[in-house]
Amino acid sequence: MNTTFDTVRTEALFASTLQASQRPSALQVRTAVTQTLRRLGVNGCTARVAGEFGEHPETAAARMSWALDMIRSAYEDLAAREFAHAG
């Protein structure tokens, strides 16, 4: 199940300069999300995603799938560590 946070983070990662070929770590993913949201804002990230799907739908779909997988992994890792420290 995706939350609004997952959606915003996924769009930010999609709009970032980070590439799947870089095989980024969870920390690199979270850093890219933060930097992209600061630079473009939520609406700017959404606009970038829409533009890419309009201009390059064949590659945008694959990038979105990669971004969602990376977000789930990067933030699941963070949540698991925070939960471990809380207990």
Side-chain angles (χ1 to χ4, degrees), residues 34-73:
T34 300
Q35 290 174 344
T36 304
L37 283 170
R38 286 183 180 150
R39 190 175 84 248
L40 300 177
V42 173
N43 291 336
C45 291
T46 300
R48 178 101 21 117
V49 169
E52 287 299 311
F53 269 94
E55 294 177 23
H56 310 286
E58 65 286 348
T59 57
R63 183 162 175 83
M64 182 57 77
S65 179
W66 167 79
L68 181 56
D69 289 345
M70 293 304 297
I71 292 301
R72 286 178 176 159
S73 176

Side-chain angles (χ1 to χ4, degrees), residues 3-60:
T3 66
T4 301
F5 288 121
D6 291 335
T7 300
V8 169
R9 290 169 176 157
T10 300
E11 289 180 351
L13 183 58
F14 181 100
S16 77
T17 59
L18 206 58
Q19 298 296 313
S21 62
Q22 294 173 293
R23 303 181 80 93
S25 68
L27 179 59
Q28 289 172 312
V29 168
R30 292 191 301 265
T31 299
V33 167
T34 300
Q35 290 174 344
T36 304
L37 283 170
R38 286 183 180 150
R39 190 175 84 248
L40 300 177
V42 173
N43 291 336
C45 291
T46 300
R48 178 101 21 117
V49 169
E52 287 299 311
F53 269 94
E55 294 177 23
H56 310 286
E58 65 286 348
T59 57

